[in-house]
Amino acid sequence: MISFARKILTPIAAVAALSLSGCWQSSDSNNDDRVTASTAESCMSCHNGSAHNDYGGPGLENPHPFSGAATILCSECHGGNGAGSDLAASHVPPPPQIGDRAFQDVNATAYFNRLTLAGIDKYPDYTVNGVTYTSIDYLRFINPGDLRVTKAGLGCGSCHGPHSELVERSLLATSAGILSGAMYAIGVENSLPGSAGDYHDTASDLAFRPVVDPDFIFDPARVGAVAEMVEYPVFSVRNQNGPDDIFQNPAYDSPNLVNDIQADGRVITGSPLANLFHEQVAFTCGDCHLGSAGANNRYGDFRSSGCTACHMRYSQDGKSRSTDPNINKLEPVDPDQIDDPERPHTDRHLIKGVAKTLQTGEFVPGIDDHTCAGCHQGSNRTVLQYWGIRLDQNQDVHQGNQYPANPDSFVRTFNDTRLFDPVVNNNTFNGRNGNQYLLDEDYDGDDRDDTPPDVHYEAGLGCIDCHGTHDVHGGSVSDLPNQRILSRQEQQVGIRCEDCHGSVESYAATAPAADYQGVITDLAMDREGNPLRNVRRASLGQYYLTSRLTGNVHYVPQTRDVVVDSGKLHPTTNDPIYSSKASYAMGRADGDPSNGIGPVQTGGVAAGFSHSDTMSCVSCHASWTNNCIGCHLKGEYDNGNRFSNITGERIVYNQANADFTYQNPWGFQLGVDAHGKISPFAPNTEMFFQWFDRNGTPSDTFAFSNRNAQGGNPGQAVHPSLNHNAMMPHSIRGKVDSDDEGPRYCVACHLTTDGLLNYGGEYDLFRAAMATNDFGVLNFPLLREHFGENPGNQMNSPLWPHMVAGLGSGLFLFDANGCPVNPLDDDPDRFDCGGVAPSTNFNPLNVVYQLDRIVNPDGTTASGSNHAFLIPGAGAALRDGAANPNMAGPLGATLVQKLTDPTTGIVLDSWIDADGVLEGDAPNHVPN
């Protein structure tokens, strides 16, 4: 809720040193003193103190000190009147709907839009002192990187037009994967008839602002491309009384909503229930894009919009560290919650991209991970996972309520300065405290961290070292006419592990191109042929990555040298690159040493078999992911100060709850991703939605099927599992060590002779109970031991492959209201359980959903997916039995049978266990 308790209008003492006449006050002040006469623009005189347009004064630093454009005029970026004689004549005044700080202090709508920038472009032209301005003039003045500004060819767009055009249509700007994807997930029809049915009806239609591709020609091979997207509508505007509007509309009363959902779980298009969920998505997720500045209201979330959201990072606590004498250096006072009329500020007034040394000799690092973390705070907390930190939203571990088992030990993050700065003394990061972010967890008591950081992070690489201009900007500037508006993330991302590390068969592909210094050299390429300007092949065939973040040079080992004993040594450590265990896991079992060893079995293996043929690298190398089981979204009618993240208007919709039932780091499933490769899958949009109407009456709790009638359809599965999608965990590990767990070894996915010898009886009973949905006979204490206390299958339990194949663990049974059904959970505060612990009310007959059983043994799907194969039919052979094998989704019948059936499937007689030890007959096949 917006607070009006504190007022911050403190002058800055540092300005006295500049001796600038009348230029110390903020841009919203009423100061009319005249600026010092000079040849410089008034902006330069006032904010920098130089008499020339050279940033030669002691004030504001040059934001763009780059060769060829080192002295850009302030007004070239920000607009305004550089010849103005005073503040009022120089600055672009705000629209009357925004006003000055005093106005924002009493007008919550004005403050919301000034803080978030969400709806400023909606305001009409206005005239001040005889000069007419547009809302874009003002947006440009306060942020020349805003995409609504750059689209007009102004600000950053005046010089970087091609980049601007790409970014404006990119997924980071449209947020189509969230906005359109959510509407697909509840089954409503595509709002654009021209896109309906495309790519198995997954084409996106909704975005933060409209985008159009005038050169679009439908090509079924360019999966996800669309001609246009329309602006996400808003149905909850206050005092708006159309038939579809929520304001004081009895059609949205809770008892009526049961008529809005079809028998197969799809919501009726245009119904009140569809519109309410539509508003929930806008409120909960509608600021997750570059179009606005987001919530912009707490530590770790402060940012700008558009280009500057990444290229000019805000301080973590929102306080300015710039040398501009006119910026308030004391606001926001409370880093955990900004207060009107405060506003956050940039850390420095300096554009950042890749690491470089300026003409002044100063070294400036590239865009850092904190810049990415400000937005990538979804349920998996991708950046934090990369750092080795897991979100525990409910504080279950801290409170001793972790389901199904508490860790043997854990470490909170209160002392982790990446999140909690002892100088700033913030209490939260992204609104969560140190009990909710966990640094270490050990569930099996082996003194190893089960949630370790990514090896690339440990090596000193940042997000931008993998995700460069193509992925982030939304395409290739050098091929602008062929860049399309796309629907889903994987359609835009070009980088793959193989682009740097190569494959079992070949080294990373290269081609001559210019690196960041303009030198033509052999550079690695992404899957679309775009050069990776920071990854080069040296003359002796070695590969090196120059970090975009730090400028440091890193040796890049090639997979082929790891798998095939070429005798190559690491150029720095002099250690062998070859690993016999890696050769066994990744090589090809064809008897040819030039292809590695391969997973040879004493009982025989398919000739020429290699895991790399059908599996993505992360299937084995991602050590953990944060599974969010059961998402409870609740909306409520609210007459308070609530505002649309899309238009900035005052609305009557509020998010009452957005919570997870369970989160754990050990859950692991495989499916077939959009590339047609076997990859990790994770719960996605496993939603239970409820509405509290204008009378405070709660609706029923709803779960949904997607547009293809999958996910919540009782005709699809006896106990459907809602939605699951491929996950790209950022937790890559190479091998287990004394402190950290390693990758997924053989026992994570496969039955073994020892596993069946030790637990075969238990497995038979478990498998039979799951096959017949006889949940009452499940041995839940056994499940707690074999799953919750066994995060990498250190026990070599045959129950684990059953979960991994998608047949379920038996631990995530839910009733119609989204309350868990199990006898282990003693927490009376579980969501939608009426204040009674699930264990107290355990009744197997109440089970409606199995949220981790995504497939049946015959390959029929029990879940939903919203991703089509990038190459039509690419993974269909891996999904036999599925009703639509041309969509990404769970494993097919053949793979499920191979992984889980002890009679007709694959039972390993030679394997590597979860501790990285050769077991069974493996020592006979793998030389030391």
Side-chain angles (χ1 to χ4, degrees):
M1 179 177 291
I2 295 179
S3 167
F4 297 92
R6 218 177 330 102
K7 315 292 182 281
I8 307 299
L9 293 171
T10 308
I12 308 302
V15 260
L18 292 178
S19 301
L20 300 177
S21 174
C23 292
W24 62 266
Q25 290 189 335
S26 77
S27 61
D28 288 323
S29 73
N30 294 317
N31 174 33
D32 288 326
D33 292 338
R34 305 181 72 81
V35 300
T36 304
S38 69
T39 61
E41 287 192 318
S42 55
C43 337
M44 184 69 70
S45 299
C46 197
H47 291 275
N48 174 268
S50 176
H52 307 284
N53 291 312
D54 59 0
Y55 291 93
L60 183 70
E61 68 181 312
N62 185 353
H64 202 281
F66 310 124
S67 178
T71 54
I72 298 175
L73 297 176
C74 305
S75 59
E76 287 185 74
C77 292
H78 288 274
N81 179 13
S85 58
D86 56 28
L87 184 150
S90 301
H91 286 196
V92 175
Q97 296 88 345
I98 296 295
D100 59 14
R101 286 194 183 224
F103 181 70
Q104 294 161 23
D105 194 24
V106 298
N107 188 301
T109 306
Y111 182 64
F112 175 85
N113 281 285
R114 179 58 181 85
L115 183 68
T116 68
L117 312 181
I120 289 181
D121 60 314
K122 301 292 185 180
Y123 298 141
D125 296 354
Y126 57 101
T127 301
V128 177
N129 295 329
V131 180
T132 298
Y133 301 92
T134 69
S135 59
I136 298 302
D137 292 332
Y138 181 66
L139 262 179
R140 176 190 182 188
F141 182 68
I142 59 177
N143 179 20
D146 189 282
L147 298 181
R148 293 160 289 188
V149 173
T150 65
K151 182 179 180 180
L154 303 171
C156 299
S158 63
C159 293
H160 303 283
H163 279 99
S164 169
E165 183 177 344
L166 276 177
V167 175
E168 180 222 340
R169 304 191 315 189
S170 74
L171 286 163
L172 288 181
T174 64
S175 199
I178 294 175
L179 300 178
S180 296
M183 294 302 100
Y184 171 89
I186 67 168
V188 300
E189 297 171 4
N190 194 304
S191 62
L192 295 173
S195 296
D198 290 348
Y199 322 117
H200 305 284
D201 222 359
T202 63
S204 284
D205 54 340
L206 302 173
F208 173 68
R209 289 291 182 269
V211 288
V212 176
D213 181 356
D215 301 318
F216 176 80
I217 298 174
F218 180 74
D219 178 1
R222 190 67 167 100
V223 173
V226 296
E228 62 175 325
M229 295 180 193
V230 296
E231 184 173 311
Y232 199 81
V234 179
F235 299 107
S236 58
V237 177
R238 184 177 174 82
N239 297 321
Q240 196 162 291
N241 296 108
D244 291 330
D245 293 310
I246 297 171
F247 180 71
Q248 295 181 354
N249 189 342
Y252 289 89
D253 289 349
S254 293
N256 300 326
L257 301 183
V258 294
N259 301 315
D260 295 344
I261 193 162
Q262 303 177 66
D264 61 9
R266 290 180 297 167
V267 179
I268 296 173
T269 302
S271 67
L273 179 58
N275 294 344
L276 287 170
F277 185 78
H278 179 106
E279 291 298 295
Q280 180 77 39
V281 172
F283 199 103
T284 304
C285 309
D287 58 359
C288 302
H289 51 75
L290 294 181
S292 72
N296 210 12
N297 61 356
R298 59 191 181 185
Y299 191 96
D301 277 352
F302 295 120
R303 67 173 176 92
S304 186
S305 61
C307 310
T308 40
C310 300
H311 288 286
M312 189 174 281
R313 180 168 76 83
Y314 275 38
S315 301
Q316 292 293 99
D317 63 353
K319 287 186 173 66
S320 171
R321 271 81 175 176
S322 83
T323 50
D324 186 344
N326 300 306
I327 297 297
N328 189 330
K329 304 297 195 301
L330 303 180
E331 65 175 358
V333 171
D334 181 357
D336 296 310
Q337 183 61 56
I338 202 168
D339 187 21
D340 63 281
E342 295 176 327
R343 63 189 54 148
H345 302 282
T346 59
D347 183 52
R348 293 180 64 178
H349 187 245
L350 178 67
I351 296 292
K352 289 187 177 181
V354 300
K356 63 181 62 180
T357 299
L358 304 180
Q359 294 175 339
T360 61
E362 179 190 1
F363 174 78
V364 178
I367 296 169
D368 64 15
D369 290 358
H370 277 97
T371 304
C372 308
C375 290
H376 292 275
Q377 287 285 353
S379 56
N380 193 49
R381 271 37 185 194
T382 300
V383 177
L384 299 187
Q385 182 188 36
Y386 184 63
W387 295 349
I389 296 172
R390 187 180 76 85
L391 173 70
D392 180 16
Q393 177 73 29
N394 301 336
Q395 304 186 55
D396 283 336
V397 170
H398 165 68
Q399 295 171 358
N401 292 326
Q402 179 69 352
Y403 176 82
N406 290 305
D408 188 71
S409 64
F410 65 95
V411 177
R412 304 174 183 88
T413 54
F414 286 108
N415 295 321
D416 193 317
T417 57
R418 294 171 296 181
L419 306 186
F420 301 101
D421 188 333
V423 176
V424 172
N425 200 31
N426 60 301
N427 296 308
T428 63
F429 182 89
N430 184 242
R432 281 87 179 174
N433 62 43
N435 292 324
Q436 294 171 288
Y437 289 122
L438 303 177
L439 182 62
D440 273 37
E441 295 170 85
D442 177 16
Y443 285 86
D444 57 345
D446 63 357
D447 294 324
R448 295 189 183 115
D449 181 12
D450 294 327
T451 58
D454 193 294
V455 292
H456 299 89
Y457 174 74
E458 290 183 324
L461 303 188
C463 302
I464 65 170
D465 284 318
C466 289
H467 299 288
T469 180
H470 177 275
D471 291 1
V472 177
H473 289 146
S476 173
V477 174
S478 62
D479 190 25
L480 193 60
N482 291 317
Q483 305 308 300
R484 304 274 75 87
I485 302 171
L486 298 172
S487 300
R488 299 290 187 271
Q489 180 191 66
E490 71 276 0
Q491 297 158 6
Q492 181 172 303
V493 173
I495 195 69
R496 304 171 306 166
C497 307
E498 297 92 332
D499 298 334
C500 291
H501 292 283
S503 66
V504 173
E505 287 80 17
S506 61
Y507 296 118
T510 62
D515 64 15
Y516 285 110
Q517 285 69 47
V519 178
I520 302 298
T521 188
D522 276 341
L523 297 180
M525 300 180 295
D526 69 14
R527 67 181 175 92
E528 297 190 3
N530 300 294
L532 305 179
R533 299 176 65 190
N534 63 327
V535 182
R536 63 182 175 87
R537 183 177 62 187
S539 57
L540 297 179
Q542 297 168 327
Y543 288 72
Y544 293 94
L545 179 149
T546 302
S547 173
R548 296 176 176 132
L549 173 63
T550 66
N552 294 334
V553 178
H554 301 264
Y555 173 71
V556 182
Q558 295 295 291
T559 302
R560 181 158 180 77
D561 292 332
V562 174
V563 171
V564 178
D565 191 0
S566 62
K568 292 185 179 179
L569 303 176
H570 191 289
T572 303
T573 66
N574 214 37
D575 293 329
I577 303 300
Y578 174 73
S579 163
S580 59
K581 291 178 183 177
S583 182
Y584 182 68
M586 295 189 289
R588 189 171 302 283
D590 61 1
D592 183 350
S594 67
N595 291 322
I597 300 171
V600 179
Q601 300 291 301
T602 301
V605 65
F609 176 81
S610 173
H611 288 101
S612 64
D613 289 340
T614 56
M615 299 184 72
S616 70
C617 305
V618 293
S619 295
C620 299
H621 282 285
S623 61
W624 65 278
T625 196
N626 200 16
N627 295 272
C628 301
I629 313 290
C631 176
H632 292 258
L633 295 176
K634 298 181 188 295
E636 63 184 358
Y637 192 97
D638 189 341
N639 281 307
N641 285 326
R642 310 298 174 193
F643 304 96
S644 168
N645 285 319
I646 307 299
T647 64
E649 297 167 287
R650 188 176 174 187
I651 57 176
V652 292
Y653 196 100
N654 182 46
Q655 172 186 286
N657 290 94
D659 299 294
F660 305 118
T661 306
Y662 297 128
Q663 290 178 294
N664 72 69
W666 53 261
F668 177 43
Q669 294 173 320
L670 292 176
V672 183
D673 68 14
H675 298 275
K677 290 277 192 174
I678 299 170
S679 291
F681 264 49
N684 175 269
T685 54
E686 288 190 339
M687 300 172 298
F688 297 99
F689 175 69
Q690 189 176 35
W691 164 246
F692 293 81
D693 66 18
R694 58 193 178 135
N695 303 309
T697 303
S699 72
D700 288 353
T701 298
F702 299 98
F704 309 113
S705 289
N706 63 31
R707 198 171 289 158
N708 287 307
Q710 294 182 329
N713 185 353
Q716 176 191 10
V718 177
H719 302 111
S721 61
L722 303 181
N723 292 288
H724 290 68
N725 282 312
M727 168 65 72
M728 173 60 200
H730 286 59
S731 58
I732 303 303
R733 303 298 297 178
K735 59 184 178 180
V736 67
D737 60 36
S738 59
D739 297 318
D740 298 311
E741 297 292 0
R744 305 286 190 182
Y745 288 105
C746 307
V747 294
C749 300
H750 288 285
L751 301 174
T752 69
T753 52
D754 281 5
L756 291 172
L757 180 66
N758 293 328
Y759 305 109
E762 292 91 335
Y763 182 53
D764 288 343
L765 292 174
F766 166 73
R767 189 163 170 248
M770 293 293 286
T772 58
N773 299 310
D774 191 1
F775 307 123
V777 303
L778 286 174
N779 184 341
F780 281 90
L782 179 81
L783 302 186
R784 174 168 53 199
E785 178 188 9
H786 283 242
F787 293 112
E789 298 172 354
N790 185 33
N793 200 16
Q794 283 77 7
M795 294 175 62
N796 191 7
S797 167
L799 279 68
W800 246 75
H802 192 276
M803 170 187 68
V804 172
L807 294 181
S809 66
L811 287 168
F812 299 109
L813 313 174
F814 282 71
D815 68 16
N817 294 318
C819 176
V821 181
N822 67 74
L824 300 178
D825 187 353
D826 297 325
D827 185 0
D829 295 325
R830 290 294 175 209
F831 300 109
D832 289 323
C833 292
V836 180
S839 60
T840 302
N841 280 342
F842 174 61
N843 183 348
L845 298 178
N846 291 336
V847 174
V848 176
Y849 304 100
Q850 284 195 73
L851 293 189
D852 70 339
R853 180 172 182 161
I854 63 177
V855 69
N856 297 311
D858 62 1
T860 55
T861 304
S863 67
S865 165
N866 65 359
H867 297 265
F869 287 137
L870 296 182
I871 300 174
L878 302 175
R879 299 207 60 227
D880 56 309
N884 188 350
N886 290 308
M887 287 279 286
L891 301 179
T894 300
L895 286 170
V896 170
Q897 175 256 330
K898 286 181 177 180
L899 295 179
T900 64
D901 193 318
T903 303
T904 63
I906 296 173
V907 178
L908 302 185
D909 57 41
S910 310
W911 67 90
I912 304 173
D913 71 12
D915 294 322
V917 177
L918 296 169
E919 296 287 1
D921 291 342
N924 299 328
H925 306 303
V926 183
N928 292 327

